[in-house]
Amino acid sequence: MKTDIILSGVGGQGILSIAAVIGEAALEEGLYMKQAEVHGMSQRGGDVQSNLRISDKPVASDLIPKGSADIIISLEPMESLRYLPYLKEYGWLVTNSRPFINIPNYPVLDKVNEELDKLPHKVILDVEAIAKELGSVRAANIVMLGAATPFIGIDYDKIEDGIRRIFGRKGDEIVTMNLNALKAGYEVAKQIQTT
Amino acid sequence: MEKHLFLGDEAIAQAAIDAGLSGVYAYPGTPSTEITEYIQNSAVATERGIHSKWSTNEKTALETALGMSYAGKRALCCMKHVGLNVAADCFMNAAMSGINGGLIIITADDPSMHSSQNEQDNRFYGNFAMIPILEPSNQQEAYDMVYDGFELSEKLGYPVLLRVTTRMAHSRAGVVTRPMREENKMNCPEDGRQRFILLPALARKRFKSLLAAQDGFVAASEESPYNQYFDAPDKKKGIITTGIAFNYLSENYPDGFENPVLKITQYPLPKKLVVRLVEECDEILVLEEGFPFVEEQLKGYLGIGIKVHGRLDGAIPREGELTPDSVALALGKEVKSFYSVPEVVEQRPPALCQGCAHRDMYDALNDVLKEYEGAKVFGDIGCYTLGALPPFRAIDSCIDMGASITMAKGAADAGVFPAVAVIGDSTFTHSGMTGLLDCVNENSPITIVISDNETTAMTGGQDSAGTGKIEAICAGIGVNPAHIRSMTPLKKNYEEMKQIIREEIEHKGLSVLVPCRECIQTITRKKKAAKQ
Ligand SMILES: Cc1ncc(C[n+]2csc(CCOP(=O)(O)OP(=O)(O)O)c2C)c(N)n1
Ligand code: SF4
């Protein structure tokens, strides 16, 4: 088992909490992992990314080689495209559909969607809208994680356990909300994966 | 034995605690900051009373760490690569005096300049000072090398420089920890005056000792379990890796190496191992994260000895960090992308937060400076450096911490008017204060803006040494109190701010303006912490 994941988004969106849950689940499974994060300058509203590699054998490089990511998980549609050179030929791109516009020259959204359309394997969903329906926009990240779960190579219930452990000290209510968010995202992706 | 998911920085911090650390001394700087923060937040470190408060700059940090080592205890000093420039005076001379309690100096280098002004490779500093250098290849080694590094430092009697780079500092992996050791007892050196008073006559003796210690340092590298030789059948080429380059090489040979490989993680170079590789192989490829440090030593000035490939002949690009791909290309392997970055993708540079006080300061300053032709604004390092980007385009320079004040002075000496300096509060206490004294002594006609957000924001909101004291410091240094002007940078105060800026630019002498309003990220973080 070996999964290379690129997480992307805009500084402040919280890609690292997605990584934290996957990491927790992987460690519990006894898997090896490496996760390169971005700290510092790029966090102030700039583009951010993280390389997450999990495997049942030791992982050598902290960085993912070009053309070999199994999945790109992005909280922002334009940002998901920035890392395409790293995606495998039949890798999955799972992205939030809602743009984060904090630059004056953000492209016309249709142009971004046209590019997303060209990819063979993708899940595109409005995680904020789904999270809002569930009662908390703050769980948008976890909706995203749910949508990516079918492609990570770790069982769904193990990811659920990861959420329980990471959010446990914040109380049952928060845990339940995040589990619901995970499920909502997961179901969207499952439907797309099977059609 | 416990396994934790640690950032490289966290592995270093935990190892230091476990090795019986008594104090960490540091000034924040990406990618080194998390080491000290980890110790500050560690329950055992607090229980043990391990010192972990931030220092005012890297020089004060290293000197304090050396003082703790003098007293027999184990000390850690952490900084980003450019921090060692600031601490260099103490660094070079601590190699002359040697140490008493184990002293490890961490340099976190930033090839590719993710958040830095340059990509200097501080292994050159280690070589320059002639002390041992450690350069772990992964998080576990970072842990082990720090854990054992204090003992190494004590055994050899010298400080040890440990170098990490961004990818190691800020990447997580599983790390197994070791039992926690007792702290050293206080114990000042009996031969202290012979070693720590570097008067010329004594210093000459110390230098002879340092020279004599070199063979021992090489022997330590040769015996180090972290410097490893991997034999392989194809001797046409031998490969040397340093630090994390080993991982990129391994990534390209998942089923084992085809050529002999020498993995280097401790310097000075392990001579016997290098000689073996050179003798066995026709040519050498050097893969190192940073400058061609090993490559230059192997090649020599004229490059007429052995055949060496690396950064100097373009086998690896001369600049930037290594990647598994750049290493693959150097090995003659194919790198293949299936998709390219579509043209619609635009750059997304970082920006000052909405509501940031620096924004209001720049808006007012820009408005006033429009009235003057030839105004130059000498910037400095911190969040406010982002004032270089649109929509502000407000600064003309950013060189090193503290340079805003002194460059403005130099430019004013040359006739530039208005010459304005913009500096943050933490940067001011880091290394702006001494330059301010130069300006006071000549009553230089410059306007200094100390944009005080009561924190060290750029690196994540650490405490700032001068909080609540900025005006008093300026007055104490000798700035005329009539020309120390405080203000609150808010939209509603624009007209007042502009009036003050105008008055002080017109003043034919030194002025200091102190717009003060707390960083909004720091406020949010404090609120969150209070809730928990
Ligand atoms: C010698 C050196 N040490 C550390 C750093 C890292 N660094 C960059 S800016 C900064 C602090 C800035 O704080 P401040 O001046 O208060 O400005 P703010 O970011 O709060 O606006 C630090 C520590 C550096 N660039 N150079
Ligand atoms: S972190 Fe603080 S100082 Fe930096 S841009 Fe944001 S509000 Fe301003």
Side-chain angles (χ1 to χ4, degrees), chain B residues 66 69-70 94 97-100 189 191-199 206:
Chain B
L66 183 62
S69 156
Y70 174 91
S97 66
I99 53 89
N100 188 23
D191 61 345
R193 292 188 171 186
Q194 300 301 312
R195 299 209 280 123
F196 286 86
I197 301 178
L198 293 175
L199 273 170
R206 287 306 303 165

Side-chain angles (χ1 to χ4, degrees), chain A:
Chain A
M1 177 271 168
K2 174 171 167 287
T3 310
D4 284 346
I5 305 168
I6 288 180
L7 290 148
S8 66
V10 178
Q13 281 190 314
I15 58 167
L16 291 184
S17 57
I18 301 179
V21 177
I22 303 176
E24 180 68 30
L27 207 65
E28 197 62 23
E29 284 288 86
L31 297 169
Y32 292 92
M33 68 167 278
K34 277 196 172 173
Q35 185 210 332
E37 303 176 356
V38 180
H39 297 209
M41 189 82 168
S42 25
Q43 285 176 314
R44 259 162 228 48
D47 54 276
V48 291
Q49 54 100 5
S50 171
N51 281 203
L52 178 59
R53 316 190 71 191
I54 38 190
S55 170
D56 52 13
K57 291 191 199 67
V59 179
S61 164
D62 297 80
L63 297 176
I64 297 169
K66 285 203 174 127
S68 65
D70 297 280
I71 164 168
I72 292 174
I73 305 176
S74 182
L75 285 166
E76 209 284 339
M78 183 184 83
E79 292 307 324
S80 75
L81 299 171
R82 200 183 295 282
Y83 306 98
L84 282 182
Y86 291 88
L87 191 63
K88 269 189 181 154
E89 189 168 10
Y90 297 105
W92 280 85
L93 183 140
V94 184
T95 184
N96 188 7
S97 60
R98 193 179 289 202
F100 188 106
I101 303 176
N102 64 346
I103 47 170
N105 52 340
Y106 194 94
V108 182
L109 193 58
D110 285 349
K111 290 259 166 65
V112 174
N113 288 333
E114 254 169 52
E115 295 297 334
L116 289 170
D117 273 347
K118 291 182 193 163
L119 298 165
H121 289 153
K122 66 219 167 233
V123 178
I124 302 167
L125 71 175
D126 185 337
V127 292
E128 274 109 348
I130 296 173
K132 201 167 170 194
E133 244 170 64
L134 294 171
S136 172
V137 274
R138 289 182 50 203
N141 288 351
I142 303 301
V143 175
M144 193 72 226
L145 172 60
T149 299
F151 319 105
I152 292 178
I154 297 179
D155 290 345
Y156 180 78
D157 50 329
K158 297 292 189 299
I159 299 283
E160 278 190 323
D161 288 345
I163 287 186
R164 287 192 189 95
R165 277 194 301 276
I166 294 244
F167 294 101
R169 59 189 179 92
K170 294 192 177 166
D172 286 347
E173 213 175 303
I174 303 270
V175 171
T176 309
M177 186 196 55
N178 279 300
L179 289 176
N180 290 340
L182 185 79
K183 185 143 184 275
Y186 183 72
E187 271 163 10
V188 174
K190 261 303 187 207
Q191 222 161 31
I192 294 174
Q193 192 190 23
T194 46
T195 52

Side-chain angles (χ1 to χ4, degrees), chain B residues 27-28 58 358 381 383-384 401 424-427 453 455-458:
Chain B
Y27 181 74
E58 293 85 356
H358 296 317
I381 307 195
C383 278
Y384 51 94
M401 290 187 78
D425 50 304
S426 183
T427 302
N453 56 5
T455 188
T456 315
M458 178 89 255

Side-chain angles (χ1 to χ4, degrees), chain B residues 135-198:
Chain B
E135 194 191 9
S137 75
N138 60 45
Q139 291 77 355
Q140 182 68 56
E141 268 182 12
Y143 179 90
D144 291 327
M145 289 183 133
V146 169
Y147 191 93
D148 296 332
F150 286 102
E151 209 175 298
L152 179 72
S153 166
E154 283 165 9
K155 200 179 95 196
L156 299 173
Y158 286 89
V160 169
L161 178 69
L162 185 136
R163 174 191 192 238
V164 289
T165 50
T166 303
R167 290 303 170 191
M168 167 72 142
H170 284 170
S171 177
R172 270 175 217 284
V175 172
V176 177
T177 57
R178 285 149 68 175
M180 193 163 156
R181 192 188 162 279
E182 287 302 311
E183 288 178 56
N184 287 0
K185 298 256 175 323
M186 194 186 90
N187 175 27
C188 292
E190 273 166 27
D191 61 345
R193 292 188 171 186
Q194 300 301 312
R195 299 209 280 123
F196 286 86
I197 301 178
L198 293 175

Side-chain angles (χ1 to χ4, degrees), chain B residues 5-210:
Chain B
L5 200 52
F6 277 151
L7 287 178
D9 277 352
E10 295 169 346
I12 289 170
Q14 185 63 50
I17 295 171
D18 292 343
L21 182 75
S22 294
V24 59
Y25 295 90
Y27 181 74
T30 314
S32 71
T33 312
E34 291 81 0
I35 304 170
T36 306
E37 286 183 332
Y38 182 94
I39 298 174
Q40 288 170 343
N41 296 326
S42 149
V44 265
T46 310
E47 208 176 287
R48 280 197 166 189
I50 296 176
H51 176 280
S52 62
K53 273 213 164 36
W54 293 108
S55 304
T56 304
N57 68 32
E58 293 85 356
K59 179 175 183 284
T60 68
L62 184 52
E63 290 157 352
T64 322
L66 183 62
M68 177 167 271
S69 156
Y70 174 91
K73 298 202 176 183
R74 292 187 165 179
L76 183 70
C77 180
C78 315
M79 58 195 74
K80 72 179 288 159
H81 58 352
V82 288
L84 196 47
N85 301 330
V86 177
D89 202 359
C90 180
F91 181 75
M92 295 301 295
N93 291 309
M96 293 286 284
S97 66
I99 53 89
N100 188 23
L103 173 60
I104 300 183
I105 300 155
I106 309 279
T107 170
D109 295 3
D110 188 20
S112 280
M113 297 174 259
H114 296 281
S115 6
S116 307
Q117 316 101 288
N118 74 28
E119 57 174 44
Q120 70 184 59
D121 182 335
N122 281 355
R123 290 178 299 170
F124 283 91
Y125 263 120
N127 225 27
F128 191 20
M130 295 194 280
I131 60 171
I133 310 167
L134 304 172
E135 194 191 9
S137 75
N138 60 45
Q139 291 77 355
Q140 182 68 56
E141 268 182 12
Y143 179 90
D144 291 327
M145 289 183 133
V146 169
Y147 191 93
D148 296 332
F150 286 102
E151 209 175 298
L152 179 72
S153 166
E154 283 165 9
K155 200 179 95 196
L156 299 173
Y158 286 89
V160 169
L161 178 69
L162 185 136
R163 174 191 192 238
V164 289
T165 50
T166 303
R167 290 303 170 191
M168 167 72 142
H170 284 170
S171 177
R172 270 175 217 284
V175 172
V176 177
T177 57
R178 285 149 68 175
M180 193 163 156
R181 192 188 162 279
E182 287 302 311
E183 288 178 56
N184 287 0
K185 298 256 175 323
M186 194 186 90
N187 175 27
C188 292
E190 273 166 27
D191 61 345
R193 292 188 171 186
Q194 300 301 312
R195 299 209 280 123
F196 286 86
I197 301 178
L198 293 175
L199 273 170
L202 294 170
R204 281 182 207 114
K205 284 191 191 147
R206 287 306 303 165
F207 191 45
K208 279 196 206 311
S209 303
L210 177 60

Side-chain angles (χ1 to χ4, degrees), chain A residues 44, chain B residues 352-353 356 358 383 453 457 519-521:
Chain A
R44 259 162 228 48
Chain B
L352 289 169
C353 303
C356 173
H358 296 317
C383 278
N453 56 5
C519 160
I520 54 172
Q521 298 290 352

